[in-house]
Amino acid sequence: MDAVAEGWLSRTAPALDIGCGQGEIVGWLAAQGFFAVGVDIAEAAVLRARAMYSSIPGKIEFHAVDLCEQSPPDYRYGTLIDRGCFHQIPSSDWPAFVRNILRVSTSDARMILLVKAFRGGQPVGDPSELRRVNDQVNQCFSESFEIIRSAPTFLDPFEGRKRGNEMPGMVYWLVRKSASRQ
């Protein structure tokens, strides 16, 4: 929400929600004026998303896509959102995952990456967990994206305030590197 409110994510190019699930982020982005596309590996989730957001024709699309195997529809996305896909992908699939995202993104695409972290009793902000997650993100994305900023966050709509629903993690703001810097 901050990235949209601050104007860091541009509405001039389509947005891609990576691992869209039932489409909440796609629906929210469409309400903010984006043309948004959601992709998820689960066909059932895509079907639910289409049914839930059928009242917004022309502003959103949903597709069943395994980003480790294929690229999403090519709309030259300027905004990329991943709220839970990356941390489920085996590191051996990271190169294909990034390659398929790069194929369809603009040269100056901006990405918001939310990654699961601080689970299993680790306090939010734990230095060893920060290093572990930062190392994974750097290993996967550093050749193609520059990390602009990162911070501990919560991946749940209650921002960690509702007991039993806490989903701590990290948020990264990334910008695609130009071809000359890759």
Side-chain angles (χ1 to χ4, degrees):
M1 290 189 290
D2 291 345
V4 171
E6 293 173 17
W8 194 75
L9 297 176
S10 171
R11 291 174 180 84
T12 61
L16 177 65
D17 182 9
I18 300 164
C20 68
Q22 295 185 49
E24 297 91 351
I25 291 175
V26 173
W28 185 84
L29 287 168
Q32 306 309 306
F34 286 84
F35 168 66
V37 175
V39 296
D40 200 288
I41 194 170
E43 178 75 30
V46 168
L47 292 173
R48 282 191 300 275
R50 285 179 185 153
M52 289 174 64
Y53 294 97
S54 63
S55 65
I56 314 174
K59 293 197 86 169
I60 62 175
E61 292 180 11
F62 295 98
H63 301 273
V65 175
D66 179 349
L67 286 175
C68 296
E69 299 288 330
Q70 66 196 89
S71 297
D74 187 357
Y75 286 112
R76 307 310 303 164
Y77 304 98
T79 294
L80 308 164
I81 309 285
D82 180 339
R83 188 196 79 188
C85 190
F86 166 69
H87 61 248
Q88 297 183 48
I89 297 172
S91 59
S92 60
D93 288 335
W94 290 348
F97 174 72
V98 171
R99 186 172 49 251
N100 287 325
I101 292 169
L102 291 174
R103 280 190 186 128
V104 298
S105 63
T106 62
S107 61
D108 60 347
R110 294 179 177 206
M111 181 176 198
I112 300 295
L113 175 67
L114 294 131
V115 182
K116 179 171 73 170
F118 314 113
R119 309 282 170 98
Q122 294 167 311
V124 173
D126 177 72
S128 63
E129 180 69 348
L130 283 171
R131 277 190 300 279
R132 183 190 70 78
V133 176
N134 286 336
D135 287 349
Q136 287 182 339
V137 170
N138 280 313
Q139 184 181 350
C140 181
F141 293 99
S142 66
E143 286 187 29
S144 303
F145 289 88
E146 179 181 351
I147 297 172
I148 302 303
R149 69 188 198 206
S150 65
T153 191
F154 289 90
L155 288 78
D156 67 279
F158 309 105
E159 299 178 350
R161 293 184 305 266
K162 191 170 182 182
R163 189 146 176 86
N165 290 299
E166 303 91 350
M167 293 175 54
M170 288 290 295
V171 61
Y172 294 86
W173 296 43
L174 305 127
V175 174
R176 182 175 174 177
K177 294 179 179 178
S178 66
S180 62
R181 294 185 343 203
Q182 289 185 24

